[in-house]
Amino acid sequence: MLSTISNRTWVLLLALVLVFTLVACGGETNEPAPAADTPAEPAATADTPADTPAEPAAPVSAGLTNDAAVVASEFFSQEQYDRSMRQMTLNPEGPEGEPWVQYLEAEFVDTSAYAKEGPYTFCFSNAGVNNPWRVVGWTTMQAEVDLHPEITELIHVDAQGNDEKQISDIADLVASGNCDVLIVSPNTTAALTPAVEQACEVLPVIVFDRGVFTECPVSFVQPIGGYAFGETGARYIIDNCGDDCNVLALRILPGVDVLEERWASAKIAFEGAGSNINVIGVEFGDGDNAKVKSIVNDYLDRFGRIDAVWMDAGATAVAALEAFEDAGQPYPIIVGEDQQDFLVKWQENDLSGISPTFPTFQWRTPIIAALRIMNGEEVPAVWRLPQPTITNENLDQYIQPNMPPLHYAMCGCEGMPDFPTRWGGQ
Amino acid sequence: MAELTHSNEKNTLWTRFVAGLRSIPPIYIIVIILLIAIGTQNPAFLEPAGFLNLLRRSAPLMILAAGQLFVIVTGGFDLSVGSIMSLTVIGAALLINNDPANTWWVILVLLGIGVTVGLLNGLIVSYLNVPSLIVTLGMLLTLRGAGLYWTGGAPRGYLTDNFRIFGRGWIEPFPLVDRLPYAVAVLIIVSGIAIYIFHRTNLGRQLLAIGDNARAARLAGVPVERMRIVAFIISAVMAVIAGILQGGFGGVNPEAGRGFELQAIAATVLGGAVLLGGRGSVATAIAGALALEALFTLLNLLGLPKPLRDAVQGFIIIGAVAYAAYRSGRSR
């Protein structure tokens, strides 16, 4: 009898522990949500394919009134939204065909105080190389360095997605005294701000990709941003879907600023679109192919037909399309990104699609900015890069059959030395 | 005795009916209730095609749970299975290198990797006396790191169609149901073999004996170390098979198996296995996995807000396990 009771108690206790672990793991995200303070002008922005955490079940809701459709207010800035919408309509200045040195609405700052004779040692504190987007970007940055013989060394320190490590990385780089310029791609915005401020006191700093809450860096490099990304995809659906259009919106996960911004602007667009746009669901797919496929599958079962799929990042676009194939349904209008696997599928099946991009060519710009600073030339204080879109019309020029499936077409790296082998191509 | 025979026939029938009902493992009843609930939300799931889709989606977890059970009944844990799944997907993409002709030897190599990982787990647990929780947790981290190192952070290569067919394709035409997902066929074959090994051979009984009382089992002549190693190898090989199905279903994803290890353990417990070993069955563990997947699907269909869904999920799992424990307590 005693043994029976204790056995049962054990099972229950362990089950409890197990269940809590399950639930706890479900809430785990790799990407720490940035602080919700009012952002300074260089707003925090994460890179496109956010790290994909595991989550046991994907939320479901129908329509824009549901939970997954909510944009937390701390992630929305009307001013930033208006700026993005305005900049989408502007023509960038700078050399034609080289978007990585183009700029929008730039205010130039004098850097003559930093002028210095070469050769140079540049230092780079990198948030991480933990997803395909960052791998392509980092490869491109190294290739840019190789273009300039006056840069003798690029000292690269990988923070592996860890704020604490990056804070000490920056302190070490500054203390070493070896760096002529410090380039920072911050892991999270608020946490890295003090470290960047301290570095600013010692040497010229360039921040890119994601932002910090300080204007002390000489230049901050970033494309137009998440609002433009979200709007571009949503607008294409609204303009092309016709009457009675069932739209499924797929997000990665809540709480990451750039992803929230993408959805926020898409939501505004869909809400203002009129009655033909029927958003049947907003879902979190965790960037997991299998989960996205299951979600789309369930929606096809439930609604019979989906006419358009909006995505806040394209990494799982192919999986979403496969769900239509498996169900024997016609392809939807699809919003993806500039990854080769999606572009190839788009072309092969003659889809109606669009790819807003968070271009990887932005990894070239900090090196170029750093060289200009060393030469004492003016640079934009906020170097706002253009954010090209891949459409049905220009799709062909971005298809690169010799590149790996997760290569990002918008790397601006085609003319660089050792292309394509350096980027894993053949 | 005499008194019993006096009771009227109806009563006996009723008693026997109740007793019969009692002898059905509760997990099957849970599965049926969940399926009916899903059916009320979306009748499409109760049609052959819809149900087969649910099975196809659940196949990786069901196979994983079957493998996990072999380790659980010996009183161990295998936390490395999720990482093995991920490594299978990454490795397949790299090794196949876009050439369909490579698929077959690559599958053999992957199964070989599974055997090796299971062997290592088992050897360390058996001969270095490190608790399996620690060994397989270490293996989880090692394999995750190995996968990251192997790919340099970004997976390369596609999975060819002839590799993906196991997770994605259909055998058609197929009698009665038009088309049968390969994943379901694999599920039936693999779980059939696992059930046979566990319930019809001496191996299952020996594993149960180890979990119940390793010392007594050893004295009775059970080769405890060797049996433990076999259990870990079975679990790891099942993880490779689950990885092949998952990769086939979803395509290349460096985190294809993340989180599966805990779900597999939860499935075995739902199926009535005792976490300290000595009690459990492959068939009910597989049903436990189906119940979990059905529960996820049901909560999705209900469209509950995310926090509520996590809570409901937790409550249902606790409730089911508590009921199973209560039942097994009474039947002793």
Side-chain angles (χ1 to χ4, degrees):
Chain A
M1 190 59 198
L2 205 99
S3 77
T4 312
I5 288 172
S6 67
N7 234 336
R8 212 193 296 165
T9 323
W10 262 112
V11 171
L12 273 174
L13 267 175
L14 283 167
L16 256 169
V17 171
L18 194 74
V19 165
F20 281 121
T21 328
L22 260 177
V23 172
C25 284
E28 170 202 354
T29 64
N30 289 349
E31 193 129 12
D37 310 327
T38 44
E41 157 58 15
T45 303
D47 53 302
T48 305
D51 309 353
T52 50
E55 218 169 300
V60 163
S61 61
L64 290 171
T65 54
N66 235 305
D67 257 38
V70 172
V71 178
S73 60
E74 68 260 34
F75 291 113
F76 185 75
S77 151
Q78 187 67 43
E79 189 194 332
Q80 298 275 336
Y81 176 79
D82 294 341
R83 173 189 59 74
S84 300
M85 295 302 118
R86 182 180 69 242
Q87 288 177 339
M88 281 172 77
T89 64
L90 299 176
N91 278 326
E93 297 169 65
E96 187 71 23
E98 295 179 19
W100 50 92
V101 284
Q102 293 180 337
Y103 48 86
L104 292 150
E105 298 189 314
E107 279 179 37
F108 283 84
V109 289
D110 176 38
T111 68
S112 51
Y114 301 112
K116 195 180 167 189
E117 288 288 312
Y120 308 113
T121 299
F122 290 173
C123 296
F124 175 33
S125 167
N126 191 354
V129 200
N130 42 16
N131 61 46
W133 186 87
R134 302 194 75 85
V135 173
V136 172
W138 168 228
T139 310
T140 307
M141 181 186 269
Q142 290 167 286
E144 179 67 36
V145 169
D146 290 350
L147 288 175
H148 307 285
E150 64 271 38
I151 307 172
T152 44
E153 196 183 356
L154 176 69
I155 300 174
H156 172 245
V157 193
D158 178 359
Q160 294 156 10
N162 183 334
D163 285 343
E164 285 73 31
K165 180 165 188 320
Q166 191 167 24
I167 288 167
S168 68
D169 285 349
I170 292 176
D172 290 348
L173 286 172
V174 172
S176 74
N178 294 330
C179 311
D180 293 312
V181 174
L182 176 66
I183 298 167
V184 181
S185 165
N187 189 48
T188 63
T189 299
L192 270 300
T193 299
V196 169
E197 279 173 335
Q198 280 164 21
C200 285
E201 290 170 11
V202 182
L203 77 178
V205 176
I206 297 166
V207 171
F208 83 105
D209 166 28
R210 309 170 190 172
V212 283
F213 293 138
T214 166
E215 291 178 23
C216 81
V218 182
S219 188
F220 170 61
V221 177
Q222 199 180 52
I224 299 175
Y227 295 115
F229 191 111
E231 157 77 13
T232 303
R235 191 59 56 195
Y236 180 78
I237 290 174
I238 293 166
D239 291 345
N240 290 279
C241 199
D243 297 337
D244 187 22
C245 175
N246 281 351
V247 182
L248 176 62
L250 293 171
R251 309 176 58 188
I252 292 184
L253 75 171
V256 176
D257 57 358
V258 69
L259 300 177
E260 293 281 348
E261 286 167 14
R262 291 177 189 184
W263 169 240
S265 61
K267 188 176 178 223
I268 290 171
F270 287 136
E271 281 169 346
S275 58
N276 65 317
I277 295 294
N278 175 27
V279 179
I280 54 175
V282 183
E283 294 291 337
F284 295 112
D286 292 333
D288 177 340
N289 285 335
K291 191 171 289 177
V292 163
K293 219 173 149 175
S294 296
I295 291 170
V296 176
N297 205 320
D298 287 352
Y299 268 86
L300 282 170
D301 276 349
R302 211 157 115 195
F303 290 88
R305 143 185 91 80
I306 301 172
D307 304 296
V309 175
W310 180 92
M311 304 190 110
D312 68 355
T316 54
V318 170
L321 291 170
E322 283 181 1
F324 286 81
E325 291 170 1
D326 290 1
Q329 294 255 21
Y331 289 115
I333 293 178
I334 180 89
V335 178
E337 230 176 315
D338 53 330
Q339 277 156 310
Q340 285 303 320
D341 62 345
F342 171 64
L343 299 182
V344 167
K345 195 158 194 82
W346 179 358
Q347 188 191 45
E348 276 176 357
N349 298 290
D350 203 14
L351 304 177
S352 174
I354 195 158
S355 280
T357 64
F358 194 60
T360 41
F361 64 61
Q362 65 186 289
W363 289 68
R364 297 186 67 169
T365 316
I367 300 295
I368 294 164
L371 279 172
R372 291 197 184 166
I373 291 169
M374 289 294 100
N375 291 332
E377 297 167 23
E378 297 191 310
V379 293
V382 176
W383 194 320
R384 195 64 71 182
L385 295 163
Q387 195 165 293
T389 301
I390 302 177
T391 63
N392 294 308
E393 287 70 39
N394 66 10
L395 171 63
D396 292 354
Q397 74 189 73
Y398 294 102
I399 301 272
Q400 299 161 308
N402 56 334
M403 299 306 285
L406 297 184
H407 177 72
Y408 284 79
M410 213 55 86
C411 64
C413 56
E414 289 76 10
M416 301 183 91
D418 299 327
F419 182 87
T421 46
R422 191 171 191 160
W423 285 261
Q426 283 161 356
Chain B
M1 206 52 188
E3 270 175 16
L4 260 180
T5 49
H6 278 302
S7 60
N8 65 47
E9 203 173 311
K10 222 179 187 178
N11 206 349
T12 315
L13 264 176
W14 175 246
T15 328
R16 281 167 72 185
F17 174 71
V18 170
L21 206 65
R22 277 256 170 87
S23 71
I24 299 175
I27 187 64
Y28 295 128
I29 298 165
I30 293 173
V31 167
I32 289 168
I33 293 173
L34 282 169
L35 289 180
I36 292 171
I38 289 175
T40 60
Q41 292 301 310
N42 186 350
F45 273 99
L46 296 188
E47 287 164 22
F51 182 67
L52 285 176
N53 253 333
L54 178 67
L55 272 187
R56 175 175 79 146
R57 195 191 291 177
S58 314
L61 184 60
M62 292 165 85
I63 289 171
L64 211 54
Q68 183 73 243
L69 186 96
F70 282 85
V71 176
I72 293 275
V73 292
T74 67
F77 292 90
D78 190 350
L79 294 179
S80 63
V81 289
S83 283
I84 297 176
M85 280 177 74
S86 301
L87 194 70
T88 301
V89 175
I90 298 170
L94 276 171
L95 292 175
I96 290 176
N97 199 16
N98 299 344
D99 182 359
N102 289 337
T103 297
W104 303 107
W105 69 258
V106 167
I107 289 179
L108 288 181
V109 167
L110 293 170
L111 290 171
I113 292 176
V115 171
T116 313
V117 172
L119 184 67
L120 274 176
N121 278 338
L123 283 173
I124 298 173
V125 169
S126 288
Y127 292 108
L128 300 182
N129 290 321
V130 185
S132 62
L133 201 69
I134 304 302
V135 174
T136 56
L137 182 65
M139 190 58 83
L140 178 157
L141 296 171
T142 308
L143 295 181
R144 191 182 286 173
L148 211 64
Y149 180 77
W150 200 1
T151 59
R156 284 186 294 273
Y158 291 95
L159 290 174
T160 51
D161 285 346
N162 66 345
F163 180 89
R164 292 195 61 183
I165 198 167
F166 295 108
R168 209 189 155 199
W170 283 270
I171 303 169
E172 54 188 336
F174 196 84
L176 299 177
V177 291
D178 290 343
R179 54 181 199 168
L180 183 76
Y182 271 94
V184 176
V186 171
L187 171 70
I188 292 169
I189 294 168
V190 169
S191 53
I193 294 172
I195 289 171
Y196 178 80
I197 292 178
F198 190 81
H199 296 275
R200 293 276 178 273
T201 71
N202 214 13
L203 185 106
R205 277 186 289 279
Q206 293 191 337
L207 292 175
L208 281 165
I210 293 171
D212 205 30
N213 187 335
R215 209 165 179 191
R218 194 190 308 275
L219 290 173
V222 176
V224 175
E225 285 80 15
R226 230 184 305 156
M227 285 297 124
R228 281 215 168 109
I229 292 171
V230 168
F232 277 105
I233 290 177
I234 291 175
S235 176
V237 168
M238 292 293 201
V240 171
I241 296 172
I244 292 172
L245 295 187
Q246 186 74 2
F249 179 67
V252 183
N253 174 6
E255 299 192 333
R258 204 174 173 125
F260 269 78
E261 54 281 328
L262 288 177
Q263 287 180 23
I265 294 171
T268 63
V269 175
L270 270 179
V274 173
L275 279 182
L276 293 179
R279 180 187 274 263
S281 120
V282 171
T284 56
I286 293 171
L290 180 59
L292 264 187
E293 290 282 357
L295 178 61
F296 297 155
T297 304
L298 176 65
L299 295 177
N300 275 352
L301 286 173
L302 289 174
L304 295 182
K306 171 93 176 118
L308 196 58
R309 206 142 19 118
D310 285 345
V312 169
Q313 203 171 301
F315 271 121
I316 292 180
I317 294 174
I318 296 175
V321 173
Y323 178 68
Y326 171 74
R327 286 269 312 253
S328 68
R330 274 170 60 128
S331 66
R332 277 201 174 177

